Amino acid sequence: MRKGLPAGFCISGHAGISEAGTDILCAAVSSAAYMTANTVTDIIGAKAEVSVEEGRMFLMVSEKDAAACGVLLRGFRLHMMSLKEQYPENITLTDTEV
């Protein structure tokens, strides 16, 4: 959070429901994360730091673009909260202020 606005996310790990490549929860999280990152950078046109590695994705929007991306990032968090309700032992959410 940056001045009360969501500024990005970091997802990592494996949900552990089934093997890598066949895990529906990992697929749901990854799909939502890629959609969010692509919308931030390619549709909104926000300046953002994005990195993708095996089992990890990080996105942080610039301070000047945080307001423009806030609704989308809040929607991403809401989606992750909904998945956590369905799979409470497989997802951990942590809010961090920057």
Side-chain angles (χ1 to χ4, degrees):
M1 303 273 288
R2 202 180 267 153
K3 296 182 183 175
L5 296 171
F9 61 83
C10 182
I11 59 171
S12 64
H14 180 64
I17 291 178
S18 65
E19 293 181 30
T22 63
D23 192 312
I24 61 167
L25 182 54
C26 281
V29 170
S30 294
S31 178
Y34 274 101
M35 188 277 304
T36 302
N38 289 335
T39 301
V40 163
T41 58
D42 297 341
I43 305 300
I44 296 172
K47 184 174 181 173
E49 179 184 346
V50 180
S51 68
V52 179
E53 300 169 11
E54 181 65 34
R56 183 179 185 276
M57 178 186 264
F58 174 83
L59 175 129
M60 179 67 67
V61 298
S62 68
E63 188 169 353
K64 100 176 176 45
D65 289 323
C69 299
V71 169
L72 178 63
L73 291 169
R74 285 193 305 270
F76 174 75
R77 186 175 190 291
L78 180 63
H79 186 62
M80 293 302 105
M81 289 171 53
S82 179
L83 289 173
K84 181 176 176 42
E85 286 179 17
Q86 294 174 51
Y87 301 95
E89 289 145 19
N90 303 90
I91 292 182
T92 301
L93 297 176
T94 304
D95 291 321
T96 305
E97 291 192 32
V98 291

